[in-house]
Amino acid sequence: MVDYAMDIHKSLYRTEEVPQDMIDRRAEVVARLKALEEAAAPLVEFLQNASAMQELRADKQYNLQMLHDRYQIGQEQIEALYQYAKFQFECGNYSGAADYLYQYRGLCNNSERSLSALWGKMAAEILMQNWDIALEELNRLKEIIDSKSFSSPLNQVQSRIWLMHWSLFIFFNNDNGRTQIIDLFNQDKYLNAIQTNAPHLLRYLATAFIVNKRRRPQFKDFIKVIQQEQHSYKDPITEFLACVYVNYDFDEAQKKMKECEEVILNDPFLGKRLEDGNFSNVLLRDEFLENARLFIFETYCRIHQRIDIGVLAEKLNLNFEEAERWIVNLIRNSKLDAKIDSESGTVIMEPSHPNVYEQLIDHTKALSGRTSKSVSQILEHAHAQAAR
């Protein structure tokens, strides 16, 4: 990294000379690297020896004893491997850091150190853009955070918040990421952490709900969260949902749609661009706006029986012809129970009566979910009491 800083300095000032403090810093880094290499050398040599590695077993205690007896490798060398891996990460050698941290976790007896190494490995995989491996490490971290006994509940909440922040890099580079965001962020423990200390993450959960093709039952509960938090945190995306589903203010929702577009274009995760030759396109923007229009249309239709297409076009930020074409396609593709009166320029909604059986099934599913949450909370409380 010091060499990189030197290159930037040479490029900016168009000179081959660099400040003395950079030269001194480079000498410090090289000396530190050599010292760590020497300290970790016995274990690194063992790990690079394929035949020696075959002596390792699934039993960690056996491996530690075997390394000590046959190769004179103890806790000092194992700790040196951690420091060496950490320094490799700081120097930008993410591949080496990930490999050494993986090996370190197989030999480490310290749970805190092992957790720290797992955080480092996930970060290294993200920086190398190995998204599938990074997702595996993310799931391992989640499992540990949810099951580990922390010194205080605040530390556990903080760990969950860090995990959600790191997960954004992974989810927005994964084909199924939008569903995975909902699976993680919308869990009670993680949603409580968001509401407590990271309400800005509501933007990403809201976006995931909007662009997710499968409307989940949790969406109604999430709208309640938006309503609760709108006095402490709001941005155009959460305000859009509040306008449509809480306030039924469609004129304001139309304004928020335009603001949402700006937010998406300028957000480092939502505004990811797809380069195609000389053109770049933000895929999420088009999908978001299409689904946002659908949200407005569905809600508007729910409270009106006859809708003027011209008025609806204004709500959807479309001209009359675009709005008419959009509604025709929507009726055709989603089998919406509606028809268009071309003479009067209106959409006529057919009255729909809720199916009693579907309502019963929905309520039963919700009851089952609440029961499951209650049981898990009781068990966690019992385990916590037993640990004390």
Side-chain angles (χ1 to χ4, degrees):
M1 288 299 180
V2 178
D3 289 336
Y4 182 59
M6 287 181 172
D7 291 339
I8 291 176
H9 182 276
K10 291 176 183 178
S11 175
L12 284 175
Y13 294 97
R14 297 179 181 178
T15 178
E16 290 300 314
E17 296 181 1
V18 293
Q20 185 60 41
D21 60 339
M22 282 189 175
I23 297 173
D24 295 340
R25 176 59 181 157
R26 188 182 189 282
E28 290 176 13
V29 169
V30 171
R32 172 70 172 158
L33 181 61
K34 287 182 178 178
L36 289 172
E37 279 180 346
E38 292 174 3
L43 185 50
V44 171
E45 289 175 7
F46 172 84
L47 296 172
Q48 292 174 346
N49 188 331
S51 60
M53 285 288 289
Q54 292 178 357
E55 299 182 45
L56 294 177
R57 298 181 183 176
D59 187 344
K60 185 181 291 188
Q61 293 303 322
Y62 169 84
N63 293 336
L64 292 173
Q65 191 64 42
M66 183 271 293
L67 286 171
H68 182 269
D69 295 344
R70 298 184 190 177
Y71 298 92
Q72 291 73 53
I73 295 173
Q75 289 299 325
E76 185 178 344
Q77 286 76 27
I78 294 172
E79 178 61 22
L81 180 67
Y82 173 83
Q83 296 297 337
Y84 183 53
K86 183 173 179 289
F87 200 75
Q88 290 284 348
F89 182 92
E90 292 169 353
C91 290
N93 181 12
Y94 305 121
S95 177
D99 290 340
Y100 290 137
L101 288 171
Y102 172 78
Q103 299 293 350
Y104 172 80
R105 292 193 70 241
L107 299 170
C108 176
N109 277 328
N110 187 320
S111 60
E112 291 297 329
R113 267 280 197 256
S114 180
L115 181 61
S116 178
L118 186 55
W119 279 106
K121 186 173 186 304
M122 182 184 71
E125 300 295 352
I126 288 173
L127 288 164
M128 291 188 291
Q129 300 185 21
N130 295 333
W131 304 119
D132 291 337
I133 300 175
L135 180 59
E136 293 175 7
E137 305 301 349
L138 177 76
N139 290 330
R140 289 192 185 97
L141 271 170
K142 179 183 180 300
E143 188 176 334
I144 293 172
I145 290 170
D146 289 344
S147 60
K148 185 177 181 292
S149 178
F150 283 81
S151 57
S152 75
L154 183 61
N155 291 339
Q156 190 172 34
V157 169
Q158 192 62 48
S159 294
R160 288 189 174 123
I161 291 171
W162 275 114
L163 187 72
M164 287 186 283
H165 279 89
W166 278 103
S167 74
L168 295 175
F169 292 98
I170 301 170
F171 291 151
F172 282 100
N173 287 283
N174 188 290
D175 293 337
N176 200 33
R178 298 161 188 179
T179 301
Q180 291 164 340
I181 285 181
I182 296 174
D183 291 339
L184 178 62
F185 286 27
N186 205 50
Q187 291 183 33
D188 283 349
K189 296 173 183 177
Y190 289 84
L191 194 54
N192 289 339
I194 290 174
Q195 292 178 266
T196 302
N197 212 23
H200 53 275
L201 292 177
L202 288 172
R203 167 187 292 185
Y204 302 104
L205 182 54
T207 303
F209 270 118
I210 290 172
V211 301
N212 202 300
K213 296 298 182 183
R214 293 180 295 146
R215 295 296 168 74
R216 299 186 164 210
Q218 304 102 304
F219 183 63
K220 292 180 181 178
D221 295 330
F222 178 66
I223 293 299
K224 294 177 184 176
V225 173
I226 293 292
Q227 189 173 6
Q228 292 169 3
E229 297 298 320
Q230 63 182 342
H231 300 295
S232 60
Y233 173 80
K234 59 178 67 174
D235 72 9
I237 295 176
T238 59
E239 285 183 298
F240 168 78
L241 288 177
C243 289
V244 176
Y245 289 100
V246 179
N247 305 323
Y248 299 102
D249 187 344
F250 300 104
D251 292 331
E252 187 65 22
Q254 174 196 353
K255 297 177 185 176
K256 292 301 173 186
M257 270 181 65
K258 295 178 180 177
E259 294 179 22
C260 287
E261 186 174 3
E262 289 298 318
V263 167
I264 291 171
L265 291 174
N266 291 288
D267 188 279
F269 298 106
L270 304 180
K272 182 183 174 185
R273 296 179 180 273
L274 179 66
E275 302 295 335
D276 183 14
N278 296 326
F279 300 96
S280 65
N281 185 31
V282 179
L283 294 178
L284 190 66
R285 174 185 59 181
D286 298 334
E287 195 170 351
F288 180 94
L289 294 176
E290 177 70 15
N291 282 279
R293 291 189 186 104
L294 183 60
F295 274 46
I296 293 175
F297 182 75
E298 287 180 345
T299 309
Y300 197 80
C301 291
R302 227 177 268 132
I303 57 178
H304 295 84
Q305 188 174 1
R306 183 182 289 268
I307 307 160
D308 186 281
I309 295 177
V311 173
L312 193 59
E314 293 180 9
K315 311 282 184 202
L316 300 176
N317 286 332
L318 299 171
N319 61 42
F320 187 91
E321 292 181 358
E322 289 174 338
E324 187 175 22
R325 195 181 311 117
W326 186 82
I327 294 167
V328 168
N329 290 331
L330 184 66
I331 292 172
R332 183 187 300 121
N333 296 330
S334 63
K335 297 179 180 178
L336 195 66
D337 199 4
K339 60 183 180 181
I340 293 179
D341 186 342
S342 299
E343 292 183 4
S344 60
T346 58
V347 179
I348 302 172
M349 302 299 301
E350 297 295 333
S352 60
H353 303 286
N355 188 305
V356 176
Y357 299 104
E358 289 181 359
Q359 289 186 48
L360 182 61
I361 291 171
D362 288 341
H363 286 303
T364 305
K365 285 180 180 178
L367 181 62
S368 174
R370 287 196 293 270
T371 303
S372 177
K373 290 177 185 177
S374 300
V375 170
S376 64
Q377 288 172 355
I378 292 170
L379 290 174
E380 283 182 10
H381 181 71
H383 290 318
Q385 291 294 333
R388 292 177 186 174

